[in-house]
Amino acid sequence: EAKTQGRNRHSFFTASMQESATRQRKLIKDLRGALEQEQLEVYYQPIIDLKSEEIYKAEALIRWHHPEYGFVSPVEFIPLAEETGLIIEIGEWVFQQAVNQVKEWRRLINPDFQLSVNKSPVQFHQETPSNWAESLSRSGLSGNAITIEITEGLLLESDQSVKDQIESFHVAGIQVALDDFGTGYSSLSYLKKFDIDCLKIDQAFVRNMEEGSEEHILCEAIIVMAHKLGIKVVAEGIETEQQKVLLVSAGCDYGQGYYFAKPVEAKMLTAQLIKEKRCA
Ligand code: C2E
Ligand code: MG
Ligand code: MG
Ligand code: MG
């Protein structure tokens, strides 16, 4: 009996591994046409000023509506886009969408509105680095319309071209935010070295935060140190009132999470921004 079970278990794992390999191959294949077939869309999640509880800016987050699989998470397909290099084309498209959108929101709602755009490390290693500062000015926008979100891994590289690109953002007035802070290896010294404007505390800290917990203490310490370095702090993944309260008393500047708002289509955020403006 044990033998049968063993064999079954073996074939079970093999089957599911094969299934996921097949899915991966199919996703890679379909991702090539996804842009052209208009299956990709950019959603926007508000980032809230924790003092006023008003929407301060928003983050652009890509969505893929796959014809067979339905919604496919960026957690699944962004790594595939990075492996295949498709992230270059997709990343440029997201950036252009964000530029058009921030332009509209600046015109309609608030001339200071800003959008955050994620930029993969792979995009920093293009042979001819894209010039987002120039694209912005061609669109008639100042650099402060966009914040680039980078991840810690990028800062650990000693690549001069990466440093130069980050420096060129600063020259253009584009802000740089360090995403998912606390999960990688970067230390606070990197924040200074790379002149980071803002850091985003990873959801993992916020999720398990209770009064007096290790996560709570770490968040407080990160916020104090960041502020001493002149860096603003966003807490990601706020889902409860209690998390918000603890972060406010820790002096956190901004918050992002389902407690405030989920990522939504542009037109839904437009409606919300108009409503908020009327109430103000
Ligand atoms: P991220 O940049 O850290 O984005 C925040 C993620 O947290 C988003 O997931 C957002 O929907 C999710 N989130 C926000 N609030 C909450 C909350 O209260 N609870 C929970 N459970 N989740 C929350 P999403 O949209 O699935 O994106 C996942 C990751 O995929 C992003 O993490 C980013 O690393 C990557 N990604 C998304 N869009 C792009 C893009 O255009 N370019 C690149 N390079 N990466 C992207
Ligand atoms: Mg991000
Ligand atoms: Mg993040
Ligand atoms: Mg991330």
Side-chain angles (χ1 to χ4, degrees):
E1 207 215 39
K3 211 173 167 186
T4 335
Q5 243 180 28
R7 195 157 47 226
N8 283 344
R9 197 155 50 228
H10 175 74
S11 57
F12 169 76
F13 281 123
T14 310
S16 78
M17 275 159 58
Q18 198 157 1
E19 211 172 282
S20 81
T22 307
R23 180 178 158 106
Q24 250 192 35
R25 268 199 308 276
K26 183 157 169 53
L27 287 178
I28 289 172
K29 188 166 144 274
D30 295 347
L31 196 52
R32 295 186 200 282
L35 251 185
E36 208 177 301
Q37 289 165 40
E38 301 185 356
Q39 295 164 6
L40 301 181
E41 189 179 4
V42 180
Y43 272 35
Y44 298 90
Q45 184 178 31
I47 299 175
I48 307 300
D49 182 331
L50 290 176
K51 284 207 185 73
S52 63
E53 293 217 5
E54 279 173 5
I55 298 172
Y56 149 76
K57 61 197 280 185
E59 177 174 7
L61 294 161
I62 195 165
R63 295 290 176 261
W64 185 9
H65 310 281
H66 189 278
E68 283 158 64
Y69 299 139
F71 169 73
V72 179
S73 167
V75 176
E76 185 175 13
F77 77 82
I78 290 291
L80 302 178
E82 290 176 330
E83 276 169 41
T84 55
L86 287 168
I87 190 68
I88 307 275
E89 196 188 337
I90 292 172
E92 285 304 320
W93 178 79
V94 172
F95 173 72
Q96 205 48 60
Q97 295 290 111
V99 165
N100 297 341
Q101 196 53 64
V102 75
K103 201 169 171 181
E104 179 179 309
W105 284 332
R106 283 191 160 201
R107 182 173 54 80
L108 269 178
I109 291 139
N110 176 353
D112 299 319
F113 202 77
Q114 299 175 25
L115 281 178
S116 256
V117 179
N118 294 286
K119 189 162 188 174
S120 155
V122 176
Q123 293 173 269
F124 280 87
H125 296 123
Q126 279 171 258
E127 231 161 273
T128 29
S130 57
N131 195 338
W132 284 5
E134 204 183 280
S135 307
L136 270 178
S137 76
R138 262 204 313 275
S139 300
L141 287 164
S142 51
N144 69 7
I146 294 284
T147 298
I148 312 281
E149 296 195 5
I150 61 172
T151 45
E152 293 176 289
L154 190 70
L155 303 187
L156 296 173
E157 300 176 14
S158 50
D159 194 326
Q160 186 58 41
S161 152
V162 171
K163 288 198 187 96
D164 291 346
Q165 288 176 66
I166 293 177
E167 176 56 25
S168 76
F169 291 149
H170 282 120
V171 170
I174 298 174
Q175 296 204 13
V176 178
L178 189 55
D179 208 350
D180 307 336
F181 185 78
T183 55
Y185 300 95
S186 74
S187 66
L188 286 156
S189 67
Y190 283 101
L191 301 176
K192 201 67 197 154
K193 194 162 126 205
F194 284 89
D195 208 2
I196 297 296
D197 301 287
C198 173
L199 68 84
K200 302 186 78 174
I201 300 178
D202 192 74
Q203 316 199 1
F205 292 91
V206 177
R207 193 180 307 130
N208 300 312
M209 200 170 58
E210 276 169 46
E211 176 123 48
S213 65
E214 200 173 293
E215 288 80 4
H216 183 205
I217 293 163
L218 282 170
C219 280
E220 285 183 324
I222 291 169
I223 293 163
V224 168
M225 287 190 277
H227 284 170
K228 289 215 163 135
L229 295 170
I231 294 165
K232 298 282 190 194
V233 182
V234 179
E236 293 193 280
I238 300 179
E239 292 187 357
T240 69
E241 164 112 45
Q242 196 211 7
Q243 291 162 353
K244 181 201 79 178
V245 169
L246 291 177
L247 287 159
V248 168
S249 46
C252 190
D253 304 284
Y254 310 111
Q256 183 178 357
Y258 297 168
Y259 173 76
F260 299 109
K262 288 196 168 173
V264 289
E265 292 170 272
K267 63 171 189 271
M268 281 190 62
L269 187 53
T270 303
Q272 199 181 337
L273 287 167
I274 289 172
K275 200 170 109 200
E276 198 171 86
K277 192 180 174 186
R278 264 199 220 109
C279 295

